[in-house]
Amino acid sequence: MKDELDKRLDNQPDGPERRGSLKDIPVREELLPRWVKGPEGQEYVVEPLQDYFCQAGPTVQTPAYTRIIEDLFNWARAESLWILGFGTGCGAIEMRPLMTPRFDAYRYGIQWRPTPRQANLFVISGYLSVKTLKRAIRSYEQMQNPKYVVGLGSCTINGGMYWDSYNTIKRLDDYLPVDLYITGCMPRPEALLQGFDDLKKLIRAGKAEGANHYAEHFDWYKANQKRVIKDWDMPDYSW
Amino acid sequence: MMQSLYDRLKDRFNLGEFTGRRADLAFVTVSREQLRPLLLHLRDLEGFTHLVLLTAVDWIEDDTFQLTYLLNDRARARDIGVRLMLPRDDTQMDSIHDLWPTAATYQRELREMFGIDFPDSPRVNEDFILEGWVDIPPYRREFDTLRFARETYPERPGRETHDPATYMKQQLYPDGEDNG
Ligand code: SF4
């Protein structure tokens, strides 16, 4: 986290001076280890980040034993895309016309769900500030396999018009495994429908393997995430 | 309307520069000692009951921060902006959260974005919008936003910028002719 920043600063002429002005971020109090008294008076240490969360990482989901079965699964997956109702950036506004009668995405078997546990498609609908990225990561990790990520708009692709912002990331695929990008600023609902159609094709062809990519390159993703989220106060994998 | 208000105020307070922008909008500069009495006077006696916003401008060339307290008088539909100049090297300011509770939120923002401190303001030291910010406050003009963005957030190669006018002209009239 902070060490990463230190390393980059070391390579610059005014690095040491700037490093002196960097703040330390204290760990939130409720996350610090503490002594707890049990019912019979015995005392023990609780380390919230270790003890309250499972430490296992994500696992790769292997395909079914024969091609035919896997194709059947993929067909089923493609036909039920359930989107997590998580809006970020400008694009969250495009979801309303999509889910209401004018564009009516429900006729394609696409619907919105209120919690990550019930959803399998995460549409990152625009720029992500570091603060939102943190929530997006936690939400993504809580979604169940098989799951897909769609990046919506230029901001998720190369920063869009927020390319010089102090607080937004520029490449979504450094932090979350993106299966499909939809270009535009902002893409119209028709573009989204087209995107969902393309995603279905990818899924049926067995090419939407983002979740497995995330599991295989978990350390790489974590390192990228921690490089920008400097107050990492959550478990490494939120399952 | 604003001129007569100014004439009334200047007998009681030691006011600085006065700028009338419109018939219903004016700005006035005031010293730090006079800020609170002036705000109280405007609120209780002149009808400026609503704090519209409290914001800062970084005049780095003059080594000052300008704080602007914008007040609104609903009944007479007029606004007054009270300006206060703060030296950039002594960025402590008196809180006015007891005059308008909403000021606490603005003061929290100013502390985070400009590093202007308002001791005693409720929750002023908590994170407001940024989380885990380690560098100098980002709205200070010595903060190099572009450089920070380049160093912190990796880019995707291949991004190009065009001047919209020339680019569209090339697209629409590739041989340089407007035959339409
Ligand atoms: S791509 Fe455009 S519309 Fe989408 S979040 Fe970025 S600025 Fe907003």
Side-chain angles (χ1 to χ4, degrees), chain A residues 8 12 14 18 22-23 25 130-131 134-135 157-158 160 163-168 170-171 173 181, chain B residues 113 128-135 139 143 145-149 151-157 159:
Chain A
R8 260 172 305 147
Q12 291 173 9
D14 58 347
R18 284 179 65 207
L22 296 185
K23 277 195 296 176
I25 301 172
V130 173
K131 191 171 174 177
K134 203 165 156 183
R135 277 78 182 166
I157 299 171
N158 61 9
W163 63 281
D164 59 350
S165 158
Y166 59 88
N167 208 18
T168 57
K170 287 189 266 194
R171 299 181 56 155
D173 45 47
Y181 279 114
Chain B
M113 294 314 223
F128 180 55
I129 295 172
L130 304 173
E131 270 180 5
W133 186 259
V134 291
D135 221 299
Y139 281 5
F143 176 73
T145 311
L146 184 55
R147 175 172 165 183
F148 180 84
E151 283 171 3
T152 316
Y153 308 111
E155 283 172 29
R156 185 187 303 279
R159 188 181 162 116

Side-chain angles (χ1 to χ4, degrees), chain A residues 74-82 108-110 200 203-204:
Chain A
N74 281 336
W75 167 78
R77 287 166 187 152
E79 294 309 317
S80 55
L81 293 177
W82 290 19
Y108 299 112
I110 293 162
K200 286 184 180 183
I203 297 174
R204 290 189 71 162

Side-chain angles (χ1 to χ4, degrees), chain A residues 88-91 125-128 152-156 159-162 184-187:
Chain A
T88 166
C90 319
S125 54
Y127 59 84
L128 269 182
L152 195 60
S154 347
C155 282
T156 54
M161 68 188 227
Y162 293 92
C185 174
M186 174 54 14

Side-chain angles (χ1 to χ4, degrees), chain A residues 151-234:
Chain A
L152 195 60
S154 347
C155 282
T156 54
I157 299 171
N158 61 9
M161 68 188 227
Y162 293 92
W163 63 281
D164 59 350
S165 158
Y166 59 88
N167 208 18
T168 57
I169 56 155
K170 287 189 266 194
R171 299 181 56 155
L172 178 58
D173 45 47
D174 275 351
Y175 311 97
L176 287 176
V178 181
D179 294 296
L180 181 88
Y181 279 114
I182 303 176
T183 56
C185 174
M186 174 54 14
R188 296 262 317 147
E190 293 94 327
L192 258 133
L193 287 177
Q194 176 70 47
F196 292 147
D197 207 42
D198 289 348
L199 180 66
K200 286 184 180 183
K201 286 183 194 143
L202 285 178
I203 297 174
R204 290 189 71 162
K207 287 188 190 144
E209 287 290 301
N212 281 345
H213 192 269
Y214 193 70
E216 278 161 12
H217 302 86
F218 188 62
D219 294 337
W220 182 79
Y221 280 109
K222 276 301 142 189
N224 287 346
Q225 294 166 358
K226 288 186 176 175
R227 198 165 298 139
V228 294
I229 301 176
K230 286 165 196 138
D231 62 333
W232 189 275
D233 53 3
M234 49 192 198

